[in-house]
Amino acid sequence: MARAHWGCCPWLVLLCACAWGHPKPADLGGQDVRNCSTNPPYLPVTVVNTTVSLTALRQQMQTQNLSAYIIPDTDAHMNEYIGQHDERRAWITGFTGSAGTAVVTMKKAAVWTDSRYWTQAERQMDCNWELHKEVGTTPIVTWLLTEIPAGGCVGFDPFLLSIDTWESYNLALQGSNRQLVSITTNLVDLVWGSERPPVPNQPIYALQEAFTGSTWQEKVSGVRSQMQKHQKAPTAVLLSALEETAWLFNLRASDIPYNPFFYSYTLLTDSSIRLFANKSRFSSEILSYLNSSCTGPMCVQIEDYSQVRDSIQAYALGDVRIWIGTSYTMYGIYEVIPKEKLVTDTYSPVMMTKAVKNSKEQALLKASHVRDAVAVIRYLVWLEKNVPKGTVDEFSGAELVDKFRGEEQFSSGPSFETISASGLGCPSHPTKELNRKLSSDEMYLLDSGGQYWDGTTDITRTIHWGTPSAFQKEAYTRVLIGNIDLSRLIFPAATSGRMVEAFARRALWDAGLNYGHGTGHGIGNFLCVHEWPVGFQSNNIAMAKGMFTSIEPGYYKDGEFGIRLEDVALVVEAKTKYPGSYLTFEVVSFVPYDRNLIDVSLLSPEHLQYLNRYYQTIREKVGPELQRRQLLEEFKWLQQHTEPLAARAPDTASWASMLVVSTLAILIWSV
């Protein structure tokens, strides 16, 4: 799925992302569209006046004796998407791009962001702000050392810096006579005041048992079992990622865009369960479901969300050892736990456990992909009829595919903002104001997904309704080959995804082509569309039976077209000639590829065999569902687009030559 954009319309809201398997943009550097040297300065009409808010922020900084204040782009739980009330950097700067860090001193203010957002930042920030076209803590610290005096204090909200980010700032400032200062009251929030959007307060609900792989009691018992077996004997597990608590208790809400989570922490010990959240959001039925009226080891005590730091600090006074996953624990919790009482792993036991789906969860996720395929096929059939009329644009298309998904059983909205992109090689999120018409003469890329009570989906298909060029067909086919090569690969159990990722690139590399993003990411059961720690990157865990991952190679010709083919696949045991522990993938996305773009002559017999077997699976899985719902036009389309592919026969001239040679041979032999 989800995120990037190059060359065209770079001020659109863009998806961040090579980490999740989506393209990096080209360098968008150039002249700043602002001119702050004139009087009055020339500014685009889209800029936000930040003078008043910056003045108020500096007053707050003075009360804390700060020389600088860091404003990150995240929330307290490292969510990929953040709620409106957590968009502090966007509010204080006017710049709404999803990636970027702001720093304010008593005299200056600056933003650091990557090339996807340079033009957008220039169009949204006034002359109070410098734009720095680089990322990372090193350039920020270099600037701070120039701008603030020795002895100065650099303030930050400890709930907005991960442990790793805090360590990088702290290490870079060591020996500089400048000090990092943790301030638990966010200064931007104080300035934002009553204008700040409220924290969501919709009811928190429990998933029906039909949509869960295990009860919450079974999950709690499983985590406690891991605690008992751990060599460091932790007495508690602290869960900071919202998806961890949502998964553990089979609870959902809508606090985060595209993710069905609610603001929470969990502290699980061998004898108690403490869930930190807004208690007013739990109905009497949910409190009963959680056994909240008792105090035993299987009773969930609800405590106020804002008290988590104090509660953890108090718990840490005892003879305890607290097990955390450092990737999702923020410094605000980490700093109150004595280091000798910490048990650390990159990922918590909950994050590791939910990465492997049990048989029921696998069946649920597969079922959601069948219904999702129906929605996508309905959309592709509609496009095939309407694009030639010239009445469809990228935005209306994105709206329609979301609408079709919303009509599917158990739908709970999209799993990310749909990418609907034609031509130009720049997959992007269209807006009502900025979009392009879809044309039969251009490539069209659709990257979209849905949230369903039984699963999360993510699929990308690339289509051309006219006559693609030879190069477009070759590039598409090589992307398809990469998808097939990785999908059909057999590899040893416990192999890292990073070790096999190159199989998705080999066909492109053979022709001197490549793509600048990752090849896949994990996916959840009505949780994250990008579910860590599964995937094909160096910081992903080894592949294991029961994991789901996307497989999504691509190719992008800047200014011309973009191709991506993304499927979700289940890791399963492989059947091998000789005994051994080997794995392979079972694709669970069920939408055919565009036959119009496949150059069959590039496919090996093994590729053809795989494709035809896949197409037969699509017919078996999706065909009956289309027929059951009387979607007869879509069923006919499916049958046509899953006809078996055959190796290309030699052309007529070749056949004629062969016939002449054969005839002569027969005549000579008969003589």
Side-chain angles (χ1 to χ4, degrees):
M1 160 254 134
R3 7 185 221 234
H5 187 68
W6 353 193
C8 57
C9 306
W11 57 90
L12 290 175
V13 176
L14 310 175
L15 231 53
C16 75
C18 81
W20 293 111
H22 299 288
K24 286 181 179 178
D27 188 300
L28 298 177
Q31 188 66 36
D32 194 325
V33 298
R34 304 173 296 174
N35 188 343
C36 295
S37 61
T38 60
N39 189 18
Y42 169 75
L43 296 171
V45 295
T46 48
V47 302
V48 175
N49 188 327
T50 63
T51 300
V52 173
S53 56
L54 273 175
T55 299
L57 177 60
R58 287 177 172 131
Q59 290 172 350
Q60 293 293 337
M61 291 166 58
Q62 279 185 316
T63 65
Q64 300 286 344
N65 194 31
L66 298 178
S67 300
Y69 190 64
I70 300 171
I71 308 163
D73 55 16
T74 188
D75 65 9
H77 302 275
M78 296 286 287
N79 286 303
E80 178 183 356
Y81 307 106
I82 62 175
Q84 289 184 338
H85 70 288
D86 282 321
E87 294 178 347
R88 299 174 178 89
R89 194 232 49 230
W91 181 79
I92 197 71
T93 66
F95 163 52
T96 60
S98 64
T101 299
V103 180
V104 177
T105 69
M106 299 308 294
K107 293 182 179 180
K108 289 187 177 182
V111 166
W112 286 258
T113 190
D114 65 64
S115 59
R116 290 168 296 159
Y117 299 104
W118 293 345
T119 301
Q120 181 182 349
E122 291 166 359
R123 289 175 177 271
Q124 293 181 321
M125 297 193 308
D126 64 13
C127 290
N128 288 313
W129 294 90
E130 299 175 359
L131 174 61
H132 292 261
K133 299 180 177 182
E134 50 193 342
V135 293
T137 57
T138 299
I140 294 175
V141 171
T142 299
W143 183 83
L144 282 169
L145 294 178
T146 302
E147 297 298 331
I148 65 174
C153 294
V154 180
F156 68 98
D157 181 339
F159 284 95
L160 298 183
L161 289 190
S162 68
I163 298 170
D164 286 347
T165 303
W166 173 81
E167 286 180 341
S168 65
Y169 277 114
N170 191 53
L171 183 62
L173 286 170
Q174 279 182 4
S176 70
N177 197 19
R178 279 88 166 173
Q179 180 182 0
L180 274 178
V181 180
S182 171
I183 302 172
T184 56
T185 300
N186 190 281
L187 303 189
V188 174
D189 291 352
L190 294 178
V191 176
W192 207 345
S194 60
E195 293 182 12
R196 186 186 179 204
V199 177
N201 61 359
Q202 300 94 332
I204 294 166
Y205 61 94
L207 282 177
Q208 297 175 25
E209 189 174 337
F211 300 113
T212 64
S214 309
T215 66
W216 70 259
Q217 291 92 340
E218 290 169 335
K219 293 178 178 180
V220 165
S221 296
V223 175
R224 282 177 171 157
S225 177
Q226 292 185 57
M227 291 166 59
Q228 293 167 3
K229 295 174 183 177
H230 198 291
Q231 61 180 0
K232 295 185 179 179
T235 62
V237 170
L238 174 64
L239 306 178
S240 294
L242 300 188
E243 63 192 280
E244 295 176 314
T245 291
W247 177 87
L248 183 65
F249 298 113
N250 296 326
L251 295 175
R252 301 292 190 272
S254 55
D255 296 10
I256 305 298
Y258 308 114
N259 293 153
F261 306 149
F262 58 98
Y263 291 100
S264 57
Y265 295 90
T266 296
L267 183 67
L268 173 64
T269 77
D270 56 358
S271 60
S272 66
I273 310 170
R274 298 159 74 179
L275 170 56
F276 298 87
N278 180 353
K279 190 170 184 177
S280 67
R281 301 177 62 185
F282 294 84
S283 67
S284 58
E285 290 79 11
I286 298 302
L287 292 174
S288 176
Y289 162 81
L290 293 171
N291 299 332
S292 292
S293 60
C294 60
T295 57
M298 281 297 179
C299 304
V300 182
Q301 301 301 305
I302 311 296
E303 299 190 21
D304 190 80
Y305 174 82
S306 64
Q307 296 302 307
V308 63
R309 178 180 162 104
D310 291 342
S311 294
I312 298 299
Q313 190 169 20
Y315 176 78
L317 294 174
D319 181 18
V320 299
R321 287 162 301 283
I322 304 173
W323 192 2
I324 66 170
T326 56
S327 291
Y328 287 89
T329 304
M330 305 305 262
Y331 184 72
I333 298 291
Y334 178 81
E335 70 173 335
V336 300
I337 305 174
K339 302 306 169 279
E340 67 273 12
K341 297 184 178 184
L342 272 172
V343 177
T344 60
D345 281 307
T346 304
Y347 302 106
S348 78
V350 164
M351 200 69 83
M352 295 292 286
T353 301
K354 74 180 180 61
V356 178
K357 277 59 175 175
N358 63 30
S359 58
K360 184 179 178 183
E361 290 168 328
Q362 293 173 30
L364 288 167
L365 199 49
K366 288 180 182 180
S368 72
H369 278 78
V370 172
R371 298 193 309 279
D372 195 71
V374 171
V376 175
I377 288 169
R378 288 180 65 195
Y379 178 59
L380 295 179
V381 171
W382 184 89
L383 286 177
E384 202 168 279
K385 291 188 297 184
N386 288 280
V387 167
K389 300 176 184 177
T391 58
V392 188
D393 60 51
E394 294 168 328
F395 183 74
S396 64
E399 285 191 316
L400 185 62
V401 74
D402 289 346
K403 175 179 179 293
F404 284 156
R405 276 198 173 90
E407 294 170 0
E408 291 300 315
Q409 191 177 26
F410 311 138
S411 173
S412 187
S415 56
F416 58 94
E417 187 177 359
T418 296
I419 291 178
S420 171
S422 64
L424 301 182
C426 52
S428 65
H429 304 294
T431 68
K432 194 170 185 178
E433 296 76 25
L434 292 168
N435 60 74
R436 302 179 76 246
K437 287 283 186 184
L438 303 193
S439 167
S440 298
D441 298 324
E442 288 187 328
M443 204 89 83
Y444 174 63
L445 187 153
L446 175 74
D447 185 351
S448 63
Q451 290 284 14
Y452 304 91
W453 294 346
D454 48 354
T456 302
T457 69
D458 184 3
I459 186 171
T460 307
R461 289 295 181 263
T462 306
I463 307 108
H464 197 303
W465 297 280
T467 305
S469 69
F471 177 62
Q472 287 175 328
K473 292 186 70 171
E474 179 183 357
Y476 181 96
T477 307
R478 289 184 181 278
V479 171
L480 176 60
I481 291 171
N483 183 300
I484 294 172
D485 283 347
L486 185 52
S487 297
R488 63 190 289 268
L489 183 68
I490 295 174
F491 53 94
T495 296
S496 165
R498 185 65 174 172
M499 296 291 292
V500 300
E501 191 257 6
F503 282 88
R505 299 178 185 269
R506 185 173 59 180
L508 288 162
W509 288 351
D510 283 345
L513 306 176
N514 202 1
Y515 53 95
H517 57 77
T519 296
H521 54 81
I523 195 162
N525 280 80
F526 191 28
L527 287 167
C528 286
V529 72
H530 303 125
E531 184 174 82
W532 286 83
V534 177
F536 295 96
Q537 297 178 88
S538 58
N539 53 350
N540 290 136
I541 60 176
M543 291 289 176
K545 177 185 174 183
M547 292 178 173
F548 282 87
T549 181
S550 70
I551 294 175
E552 48 182 305
Y555 174 73
Y556 311 91
K557 178 68 172 175
D558 192 17
E560 296 185 26
F561 63 89
I563 300 166
R564 185 156 63 244
L565 295 175
E566 175 184 18
D567 295 308
V568 171
L570 169 64
V571 181
V572 296
E573 288 183 359
K575 295 179 181 179
T576 53
K577 182 177 180 180
Y578 300 106
S581 184
Y582 285 81
L583 302 172
T584 188
F585 297 105
E586 175 191 339
V587 173
V588 301
S589 299
F590 301 116
V591 178
Y593 309 113
D594 186 5
R595 305 170 76 87
N596 191 35
L597 281 164
I598 299 175
D599 182 349
V600 179
S601 68
L602 293 176
L603 301 179
S604 70
E606 291 77 17
H607 294 137
L608 283 168
Q609 182 184 38
Y610 174 92
L611 263 181
N612 290 332
R613 189 166 58 243
Y614 174 56
Y615 279 178
Q616 182 60 33
T617 300
I618 293 176
R619 286 188 172 196
E620 294 170 357
K621 298 287 187 182
V622 184
E625 182 67 12
L626 294 173
Q627 289 179 304
R628 184 184 68 80
R629 292 165 53 177
Q630 294 295 300
L631 295 171
L632 303 183
E633 185 179 12
E634 286 78 4
F635 178 74
K636 180 180 178 182
W637 182 94
L638 180 68
Q639 294 295 102
Q640 292 173 343
H641 285 74
T642 54
E643 285 288 335
L645 289 162
R648 179 173 294 166
D651 59 33
T652 306
S654 298
W655 275 112
S657 299
M658 289 175 63
L659 182 60
V660 169
V661 171
S662 300
T663 303
L664 287 173
I666 293 170
L667 290 173
I668 292 170
W669 181 260
S670 61
V671 172

